[in-house]
Amino acid sequence: MRFFRPALVAVAVAGCTLALAVPAGAAGTAKAGTAKGWFAWVGPKGAPFFIENPPDGRCLTMSQESQGAHNGTALPATVYPQKECKGTPLRLPPGHHAPRNAPFASVKFGSH
């Protein structure tokens, strides 16, 4: 799984601007158990972020303000208003997005 911030890829990779609950060794190319494609969102100060090939079935908790989720993966994504995938979920089928100002604190991919 790769994390990107289009304007400052080096900063996003080198810095710890985004901390998700992802197992060690999940970086790299897509493998079985991943939601192939891109998941994008807007972070603090309107900065765009996206993740490539997120893991299927794992709750990813955002470490900072996140809103406007866009599911560009091949699997459904479910965004949650609270950390650890709690609260009333919003399901995003592949290719769909939430309203730009809709905040979320965690996300899970695949059918649950």
Side-chain angles (χ1 to χ4, degrees), residues 20-56:
L20 296 175
V22 179
T29 59
K31 302 172 189 165
T34 62
K36 293 181 182 179
W38 301 89
F39 179 77
W41 67 95
V42 178
K45 299 181 183 177
F49 287 90
F50 56 96
I51 186 173
E52 180 182 19
N53 304 326
D56 179 17

Short mmCIF file of all heavy atoms in Angstrom, two decimals, residues 20-56:
data_model
loop_
_atom_site.label_atom_id
_atom_site.label_comp_id
_atom_site.label_asym_id
_atom_site.label_seq_id
_atom_site.Cartn_x
_atom_site.Cartn_y
_atom_site.Cartn_z
N LEU A 20 -1.93 5.41 9.50
CA LEU A 20 -3.06 4.51 9.43
C LEU A 20 -2.71 3.21 10.12
O LEU A 20 -1.56 2.81 10.18
CB LEU A 20 -3.40 4.21 7.97
CG LEU A 20 -3.86 5.40 7.13
CD1 LEU A 20 -4.05 4.99 5.68
CD2 LEU A 20 -5.16 5.94 7.67
N ALA A 21 -3.72 2.54 10.62
CA ALA A 21 -3.51 1.25 11.27
C ALA A 21 -3.32 0.20 10.19
O ALA A 21 -4.25 -0.47 9.78
CB ALA A 21 -4.70 0.92 12.16
N VAL A 22 -2.10 0.06 9.71
CA VAL A 22 -1.77 -0.85 8.62
C VAL A 22 -0.67 -1.78 9.09
O VAL A 22 0.29 -1.36 9.71
CB VAL A 22 -1.27 -0.05 7.38
CG1 VAL A 22 -0.91 -0.99 6.26
CG2 VAL A 22 -2.33 0.93 6.94
N PRO A 23 -0.78 -3.07 8.80
CA PRO A 23 0.26 -3.98 9.23
C PRO A 23 1.58 -3.70 8.54
O PRO A 23 1.61 -3.27 7.40
CB PRO A 23 -0.28 -5.35 8.81
CG PRO A 23 -1.24 -5.06 7.71
CD PRO A 23 -1.81 -3.70 8.02
N ALA A 24 2.69 -3.96 9.24
CA ALA A 24 4.00 -3.81 8.64
C ALA A 24 4.11 -4.75 7.46
O ALA A 24 3.60 -5.86 7.47
CB ALA A 24 5.08 -4.14 9.68
N GLY A 25 4.77 -4.30 6.43
CA GLY A 25 4.94 -5.13 5.24
C GLY A 25 3.80 -5.01 4.26
O GLY A 25 3.77 -5.70 3.26
N ALA A 26 2.85 -4.12 4.51
CA ALA A 26 1.72 -3.97 3.59
C ALA A 26 2.07 -3.09 2.40
O ALA A 26 1.32 -3.01 1.46
CB ALA A 26 0.51 -3.40 4.32
N ALA A 27 3.21 -2.40 2.47
CA ALA A 27 3.59 -1.52 1.36
C ALA A 27 4.01 -2.34 0.16
O ALA A 27 4.45 -3.47 0.26
CB ALA A 27 4.75 -0.62 1.81
N GLY A 28 3.88 -1.73 -1.00
CA GLY A 28 4.33 -2.40 -2.21
C GLY A 28 3.22 -2.61 -3.20
O GLY A 28 2.24 -1.89 -3.22
N THR A 29 3.35 -3.61 -4.01
CA THR A 29 2.38 -3.87 -5.06
C THR A 29 1.13 -4.52 -4.50
O THR A 29 1.12 -5.06 -3.40
CB THR A 29 3.00 -4.78 -6.13
OG1 THR A 29 3.39 -6.00 -5.51
CG2 THR A 29 4.20 -4.12 -6.78
N ALA A 30 0.10 -4.51 -5.30
CA ALA A 30 -1.17 -5.11 -4.89
C ALA A 30 -1.02 -6.62 -4.75
O ALA A 30 -0.36 -7.27 -5.53
CB ALA A 30 -2.24 -4.78 -5.92
N LYS A 31 -1.62 -7.16 -3.72
CA LYS A 31 -1.59 -8.59 -3.44
C LYS A 31 -3.02 -9.03 -3.20
O LYS A 31 -3.91 -8.22 -3.08
CB LYS A 31 -0.76 -8.85 -2.17
CG LYS A 31 0.64 -8.35 -2.25
CD LYS A 31 1.32 -8.48 -0.90
CE LYS A 31 2.65 -7.78 -0.93
NZ LYS A 31 3.20 -7.55 0.36
N ALA A 32 -3.21 -10.34 -3.08
CA ALA A 32 -4.52 -10.84 -2.70
C ALA A 32 -4.88 -10.20 -1.36
O ALA A 32 -4.03 -10.04 -0.50
CB ALA A 32 -4.49 -12.35 -2.59
N GLY A 33 -6.12 -9.83 -1.19
CA GLY A 33 -6.53 -9.19 0.06
C GLY A 33 -6.39 -7.68 0.03
O GLY A 33 -6.40 -7.05 1.06
N THR A 34 -6.22 -7.11 -1.17
CA THR A 34 -6.16 -5.66 -1.26
C THR A 34 -7.29 -5.17 -2.15
O THR A 34 -7.78 -5.88 -3.01
CB THR A 34 -4.83 -5.16 -1.86
OG1 THR A 34 -4.70 -5.65 -3.19
CG2 THR A 34 -3.65 -5.59 -1.03
N ALA A 35 -7.68 -3.93 -1.92
CA ALA A 35 -8.68 -3.28 -2.75
C ALA A 35 -7.92 -2.55 -3.85
O ALA A 35 -7.47 -1.43 -3.66
CB ALA A 35 -9.51 -2.31 -1.92
N LYS A 36 -7.72 -3.19 -4.97
CA LYS A 36 -6.90 -2.61 -6.03
C LYS A 36 -7.50 -1.31 -6.52
O LYS A 36 -8.69 -1.22 -6.79
CB LYS A 36 -6.76 -3.59 -7.19
CG LYS A 36 -5.96 -4.81 -6.81
CD LYS A 36 -5.82 -5.75 -7.97
CE LYS A 36 -5.06 -6.98 -7.50
NZ LYS A 36 -4.90 -7.95 -8.58
N GLY A 37 -6.67 -0.30 -6.62
CA GLY A 37 -7.09 1.01 -7.08
C GLY A 37 -6.71 2.08 -6.09
O GLY A 37 -5.82 1.90 -5.25
N TRP A 38 -7.39 3.22 -6.17
CA TRP A 38 -7.07 4.39 -5.37
C TRP A 38 -8.24 4.81 -4.50
O TRP A 38 -9.38 4.80 -4.94
CB TRP A 38 -6.72 5.56 -6.29
CG TRP A 38 -5.57 5.28 -7.18
CD1 TRP A 38 -5.63 4.72 -8.42
CD2 TRP A 38 -4.21 5.50 -6.91
NE1 TRP A 38 -4.36 4.59 -8.94
CE2 TRP A 38 -3.46 5.07 -8.03
CE3 TRP A 38 -3.51 6.02 -5.82
CZ2 TRP A 38 -2.09 5.14 -8.09
CZ3 TRP A 38 -2.14 6.10 -5.90
CH2 TRP A 38 -1.45 5.67 -7.01
N PHE A 39 -7.92 5.24 -3.28
CA PHE A 39 -8.89 5.85 -2.39
C PHE A 39 -8.34 7.23 -2.07
O PHE A 39 -7.19 7.36 -1.63
CB PHE A 39 -9.06 5.03 -1.12
CG PHE A 39 -10.03 5.63 -0.14
CD1 PHE A 39 -11.39 5.55 -0.35
CD2 PHE A 39 -9.57 6.30 0.98
CE1 PHE A 39 -12.29 6.12 0.54
CE2 PHE A 39 -10.45 6.86 1.89
CZ PHE A 39 -11.82 6.77 1.66
N ALA A 40 -9.10 8.27 -2.34
CA ALA A 40 -8.62 9.64 -2.15
C ALA A 40 -9.51 10.40 -1.17
O ALA A 40 -10.67 10.07 -0.99
CB ALA A 40 -8.60 10.36 -3.50
N TRP A 41 -8.93 11.44 -0.56
CA TRP A 41 -9.67 12.29 0.36
C TRP A 41 -8.95 13.63 0.48
O TRP A 41 -7.84 13.81 -0.01
CB TRP A 41 -9.83 11.64 1.74
CG TRP A 41 -8.56 11.48 2.51
CD1 TRP A 41 -8.05 12.33 3.47
CD2 TRP A 41 -7.63 10.40 2.41
NE1 TRP A 41 -6.87 11.83 3.95
CE2 TRP A 41 -6.58 10.64 3.32
CE3 TRP A 41 -7.56 9.25 1.62
CZ2 TRP A 41 -5.49 9.80 3.47
CZ3 TRP A 41 -6.47 8.40 1.77
CH2 TRP A 41 -5.46 8.67 2.69
N VAL A 42 -9.60 14.56 1.16
CA VAL A 42 -9.04 15.88 1.41
C VAL A 42 -8.64 15.95 2.87
O VAL A 42 -9.43 15.62 3.76
CB VAL A 42 -10.07 16.99 1.07
CG1 VAL A 42 -9.51 18.37 1.38
CG2 VAL A 42 -10.49 16.88 -0.39
N GLY A 43 -7.41 16.38 3.11
CA GLY A 43 -6.89 16.49 4.47
C GLY A 43 -6.90 17.93 4.97
O GLY A 43 -7.61 18.78 4.42
N PRO A 44 -6.10 18.20 6.01
CA PRO A 44 -6.03 19.55 6.57
C PRO A 44 -5.67 20.59 5.51
O PRO A 44 -4.88 20.33 4.60
CB PRO A 44 -4.93 19.44 7.62
CG PRO A 44 -4.89 17.99 7.97
CD PRO A 44 -5.23 17.27 6.70
N LYS A 45 -6.26 21.75 5.63
CA LYS A 45 -6.03 22.89 4.74
C LYS A 45 -6.31 22.56 3.28
O LYS A 45 -5.71 23.11 2.37
CB LYS A 45 -4.60 23.41 4.90
CG LYS A 45 -4.31 23.91 6.30
CD LYS A 45 -2.90 24.44 6.43
CE LYS A 45 -2.64 24.85 7.87
NZ LYS A 45 -1.26 25.30 8.06
N GLY A 46 -7.20 21.60 3.04
CA GLY A 46 -7.59 21.26 1.68
C GLY A 46 -6.57 20.46 0.89
O GLY A 46 -6.70 20.31 -0.32
N ALA A 47 -5.57 19.92 1.55
CA ALA A 47 -4.53 19.15 0.87
C ALA A 47 -5.08 17.80 0.41
O ALA A 47 -5.72 17.10 1.19
CB ALA A 47 -3.34 18.93 1.80
N PRO A 48 -4.83 17.42 -0.85
CA PRO A 48 -5.31 16.12 -1.34
C PRO A 48 -4.40 14.99 -0.88
O PRO A 48 -3.19 15.14 -0.83
CB PRO A 48 -5.27 16.29 -2.86
CG PRO A 48 -4.19 17.29 -3.09
CD PRO A 48 -4.21 18.21 -1.91
N PHE A 49 -5.00 13.86 -0.54
CA PHE A 49 -4.27 12.66 -0.17
C PHE A 49 -4.90 11.48 -0.89
O PHE A 49 -6.08 11.51 -1.22
CB PHE A 49 -4.36 12.38 1.34
CG PHE A 49 -3.54 13.31 2.18
CD1 PHE A 49 -4.08 14.49 2.65
CD2 PHE A 49 -2.23 12.99 2.52
CE1 PHE A 49 -3.33 15.35 3.43
CE2 PHE A 49 -1.48 13.84 3.30
CZ PHE A 49 -2.03 15.03 3.76
N PHE A 50 -4.12 10.44 -1.11
CA PHE A 50 -4.70 9.20 -1.63
C PHE A 50 -3.83 8.03 -1.23
O PHE A 50 -2.68 8.18 -0.84
CB PHE A 50 -4.94 9.25 -3.14
CG PHE A 50 -3.73 9.56 -3.98
CD1 PHE A 50 -3.00 8.55 -4.55
CD2 PHE A 50 -3.37 10.87 -4.24
CE1 PHE A 50 -1.91 8.82 -5.35
CE2 PHE A 50 -2.28 11.16 -5.03
CZ PHE A 50 -1.54 10.14 -5.60
N ILE A 51 -4.45 6.86 -1.27
CA ILE A 51 -3.79 5.63 -0.89
C ILE A 51 -3.99 4.64 -2.03
O ILE A 51 -5.07 4.58 -2.63
CB ILE A 51 -4.37 5.11 0.46
CG1 ILE A 51 -3.63 3.90 0.95
CG2 ILE A 51 -5.83 4.82 0.35
CD1 ILE A 51 -4.06 3.48 2.34
N GLU A 52 -2.96 3.89 -2.35
CA GLU A 52 -3.01 2.92 -3.44
C GLU A 52 -3.13 1.52 -2.87
O GLU A 52 -2.38 1.15 -1.96
CB GLU A 52 -1.74 3.02 -4.28
CG GLU A 52 -1.72 2.05 -5.45
CD GLU A 52 -0.42 2.15 -6.24
OE1 GLU A 52 0.59 2.69 -5.73
OE2 GLU A 52 -0.43 1.67 -7.38
N ASN A 53 -4.06 0.74 -3.40
CA ASN A 53 -4.25 -0.66 -3.03
C ASN A 53 -4.38 -0.88 -1.52
O ASN A 53 -3.60 -1.62 -0.92
CB ASN A 53 -3.10 -1.51 -3.59
CG ASN A 53 -2.97 -1.38 -5.09
OD1 ASN A 53 -3.95 -1.21 -5.79
ND2 ASN A 53 -1.75 -1.43 -5.58
N PRO A 54 -5.38 -0.27 -0.89
CA PRO A 54 -5.55 -0.46 0.56
C PRO A 54 -5.94 -1.90 0.89
O PRO A 54 -6.50 -2.61 0.06
CB PRO A 54 -6.68 0.51 0.91
CG PRO A 54 -7.42 0.72 -0.37
CD PRO A 54 -6.42 0.58 -1.47
N PRO A 55 -5.63 -2.35 2.11
CA PRO A 55 -5.96 -3.72 2.50
C PRO A 55 -7.47 -3.93 2.63
O PRO A 55 -8.18 -3.06 3.11
CB PRO A 55 -5.26 -3.89 3.84
CG PRO A 55 -5.14 -2.52 4.38
CD PRO A 55 -4.98 -1.60 3.19
N ASP A 56 -7.92 -5.08 2.22
CA ASP A 56 -9.33 -5.45 2.28
C ASP A 56 -9.66 -5.94 3.69
O ASP A 56 -8.92 -6.73 4.27
CB ASP A 56 -9.58 -6.56 1.24
CG ASP A 56 -11.01 -7.06 1.22
OD1 ASP A 56 -11.89 -6.37 1.75
OD2 ASP A 56 -11.23 -8.14 0.66
#
